[in-house]
Amino acid sequence: MRLPVVLLAVAAFVASPLPAWADNDAVLGFDLDSATIPELQHRMDQGRLSSVRLTAAYLARIARVDGKIHSVIALNSRALADAAASDARRRHGRTLGQLDGIPVLLKDNVDTHRMPATAGSRALAATPPTNDATLVTRLERGGAVILGKTNLSEWANFRSTRSTSGWSGVGGQTNNPYVLDRNPCGSSSGSGAAIAATLAQVAIGTETDGSIVCPSGQNDIVGHKPTLGLVSRTGVVPISAEQDTPGPMTRHVVDAAITLSVLQGRDRSDPATLRIPRDQPQDYAALLRPDALRGARIGVWRQAGADADVDRVVNDAVATLKSKGATVVDVDLPFQDAVNQNELPALLTEFRRDLNTYLANRPGRPNTLKDLIAFNKADPVELSKFGQELFEQAEAAPPPTDPGYLKARETATSSAKHSIDDTLAKFHLDAIVSPTNSPAWKTDYAKGDAFVLGSSTPAAVAGYPNISVPAGFAGPLPIGLSFFAGQWSDAKVLAFGAAFERAAPARRIPQFIPSIG
């Protein structure tokens, strides 16, 4: 279901026998943007809200707002029926947990058998997957209402060396809701923009390197990239099993913590999940403490001098951390050159290996990366904005048995782990903070993305947890702050992120400004 059809479908949902309150937050009786999952659950438990009303309100807002940002590319035709089933469970005292009845959007590289799962590519639009991704099954078992699918940077931004984040052949260009001609960052661009614009309570993104935290920073929301293996990748279109992970994108840290508790778990089809420690928390939200920063030692990787607004936001964040009782130590992360020089060569080999495996287990064509390259050359849309240089490099890359590849992957991963682990140990730190992003750049197909700085790579390549929380603004453009630490320390970085969010609330509702020049 492509975007114009989606908007008609939403309009049909709202026009069908739904009352006027479904189209207006004010009639709900509370501010939907600022409401957390616990607050929504409390209202539903008291009978002051139903999942049907909540779902209808989000569907109405998609119809009213998404034409400006183009973040939602497919809807679940069963969303209202699933919400009604949640309400029935609640009436009978059989709710399934804190996500029961909560509307969730999925990035469109997550397999769903009732909706398309295209990775943004027209090559996958004709034949949907046979099965749902494991994470979708976990969400549904937790009672979540799947609203639909979000646009993404096509193939998770791993097609061209000069790609434009937020564009796909299926969904077109997703815009940043703060300033519409600015970029939402990739590749979970639709998920980030949709949550910022209050089109769902939760969205699921995926990250290989930056694709959860960057769109979270540039869209003024919370994004948590879990430890590699904490959330199953089965049924998610891959780049690399060595770095890929799904994770929650929300407006509040507590919502990310609740969602992660539902998403996490072992999956025999994804060996990385079998390494989850037995003592990993089952309820992350219960571990969020307002005083989590008191007595903590936090390293700050400033990356100073690249952007004056980022430097100001980081300085303000450091002052907040200190005011809440944290000791802050300036650090520089070592081994970044080794990580940067080896990450892409490793990913090229892994992409061909893992994508070919995924395609071989999905019905229809294409069946290989080679088939995709040929499809794109023949398609009138796919190469209209930028090329497929990374596809071609991956097709020509050495096999996963190649000594050069094996050395590149070992060097990239071990260097990234040492960059974090050694820094934490040297300075006796609990976590490291760094700016998530610089202010969003203008979307420009001729020049591609214009990154100035980011901090995602060490945690992404190491497979360690990373959470971005709103921290400040450059004019109307958001800037996020990332907290990351060692393997399986998701509870710790979520707690620090929540304490910072409480101490210095920085989220603003987007105004959909057309341009700022």
Side-chain angles (χ1 to χ4, degrees):
M1 188 185 294
R2 297 200 174 102
L3 187 58
V5 181
V6 169
L7 294 179
L8 290 172
V10 178
F13 272 127
V14 175
S16 71
L18 294 176
W21 43 252
D23 200 39
N24 193 327
D25 289 356
V27 184
L28 285 175
F30 61 92
D31 177 16
L32 187 54
D33 184 87
S34 65
T36 65
I37 290 175
E39 291 167 356
L40 295 173
Q41 292 291 351
H42 182 65
R43 288 177 178 275
M44 288 191 283
D45 286 343
Q46 290 189 326
R48 295 187 291 141
L49 178 67
S50 68
S51 179
V52 167
R53 289 183 64 192
L54 180 62
T55 300
Y58 276 124
L59 290 169
R61 186 157 174 82
I62 291 170
R64 192 167 64 248
V65 170
D66 196 52
K68 300 176 182 178
I69 59 174
H70 311 295
S71 64
V72 178
I73 60 174
L75 289 174
N76 178 12
S77 62
R78 291 184 50 83
L80 289 171
D82 291 344
S86 173
D87 291 334
R89 286 192 296 272
R90 193 176 303 272
R91 286 194 300 272
H92 290 89
R94 296 199 298 265
T95 55
L96 300 174
Q98 293 185 85
L99 267 192
D100 204 336
I102 301 299
V104 177
L105 286 166
L106 306 172
K107 185 176 177 180
D108 197 34
N109 61 350
V110 176
D111 282 359
T112 46
H113 77 276
R114 288 197 183 102
M115 290 177 285
T118 68
S121 171
R122 288 154 59 91
L124 297 185
T127 309
T130 304
N131 301 307
D132 289 338
T134 298
L135 73 86
V136 176
T137 301
R138 294 189 69 87
L139 288 169
E140 290 181 336
R141 286 177 179 170
V145 175
I146 307 300
L147 272 185
K149 308 295 281 290
T150 57
N151 196 25
L152 69 156
S153 306
E154 185 170 318
W155 295 109
N157 235 356
F158 206 79
R159 200 192 77 183
S160 174
T161 55
R162 62 172 192 85
S163 63
T164 298
S165 289
W167 184 88
S168 76
V170 171
Q173 180 65 51
T174 296
N175 300 321
N176 189 305
Y178 287 85
V179 179
L180 296 175
D181 69 353
R182 298 296 176 117
N183 199 268
C185 200
S187 67
S188 305
S189 45
S191 295
I195 293 302
T198 321
L199 305 187
Q201 194 69 22
V202 175
I204 304 302
T206 66
E207 176 162 328
T208 305
D209 187 345
S211 288
I212 288 175
V213 294
C214 184
S216 296
Q218 285 191 194
N219 291 280
D220 203 35
I221 66 167
V222 173
H224 180 67
K225 184 203 81 71
T227 295
L228 183 74
L230 193 60
V231 180
S232 171
R233 287 85 53 85
T234 301
V236 177
V237 181
I239 291 178
S240 164
E242 276 68 33
Q243 292 184 209
D244 292 351
T245 181
M249 301 173 73
T250 62
R251 289 182 294 278
H252 315 282
V253 176
V254 65
D255 291 0
I258 288 169
T259 306
L260 183 64
S261 298
V262 173
L263 290 175
Q264 76 169 16
R266 294 177 179 82
D267 172 13
R268 292 180 182 274
S269 298
D270 184 352
T273 66
L274 304 182
R275 297 192 291 269
I276 298 174
R278 294 292 177 184
D279 61 353
Q280 194 70 12
Q282 299 301 303
D283 184 354
Y284 293 97
L287 302 176
L288 304 183
R289 297 182 294 106
D291 64 345
L293 289 166
R294 185 171 303 281
R297 289 181 60 84
I298 307 293
V300 55
W301 183 31
R302 292 179 183 270
Q303 304 187 72
D307 185 279
D309 286 305
V310 171
D311 292 346
R312 171 181 51 78
V313 169
V314 171
N315 288 338
D316 291 346
V318 167
T320 296
L321 294 171
K322 290 179 178 178
S323 75
K324 292 301 164 181
T327 298
V328 179
V329 181
D330 280 290
V331 299
D332 281 314
L333 266 61
F335 312 124
Q336 294 310 297
D337 287 345
V339 177
N340 292 329
Q341 290 166 11
N342 288 279
E343 180 188 19
L344 180 58
L347 289 177
L348 290 169
T349 289
E350 292 154 4
F351 179 63
R352 186 185 67 222
R353 176 198 68 194
D354 295 342
L355 183 62
N356 282 349
T357 299
Y358 170 85
L359 292 173
N361 290 283
R362 177 168 170 156
R365 294 184 63 86
N367 299 125
T368 65
L369 175 58
K370 186 176 181 179
D371 292 343
L372 283 172
I373 292 170
F375 177 93
N376 290 342
K377 288 178 178 177
D379 188 82
V381 174
E382 289 293 348
L383 302 183
S384 62
K385 303 297 185 184
F386 45 81
Q388 54 180 343
E389 300 89 353
L390 291 178
F391 270 19
E392 292 163 348
Q393 291 173 27
E395 182 61 26
T401 55
D402 178 75
Y405 156 71
L406 293 171
K407 182 178 180 181
R409 169 46 65 194
E410 195 282 329
T411 301
T413 302
S414 64
S415 297
K417 288 182 175 180
H418 278 296
S419 74
I420 296 173
D421 292 340
D422 293 0
T423 302
L424 293 172
K426 179 179 179 180
F427 296 100
H428 307 288
L429 302 175
D430 295 291
I432 297 165
V433 300
S434 191
T436 305
N437 61 292
S438 52
W441 56 88
K442 278 190 175 182
T443 296
D444 186 329
Y445 299 116
K447 297 178 180 178
D449 289 337
F451 289 100
V452 174
L453 63 83
S455 57
S456 65
T457 297
V461 181
Y464 291 176
N466 186 5
I467 185 170
S468 178
V469 295
F473 280 78
L477 297 171
I479 296 170
L481 184 74
S482 287
F483 290 77
F484 52 94
Q487 190 176 37
W488 309 118
S489 59
D490 298 75
K492 181 184 294 185
V493 299
L494 282 162
F496 289 154
F500 179 84
E501 174 189 58
R502 183 183 181 97
R507 174 162 165 76
R508 301 177 191 168
I509 296 174
Q511 299 300 311
F512 308 100
I513 301 168
S515 177
I516 55 173

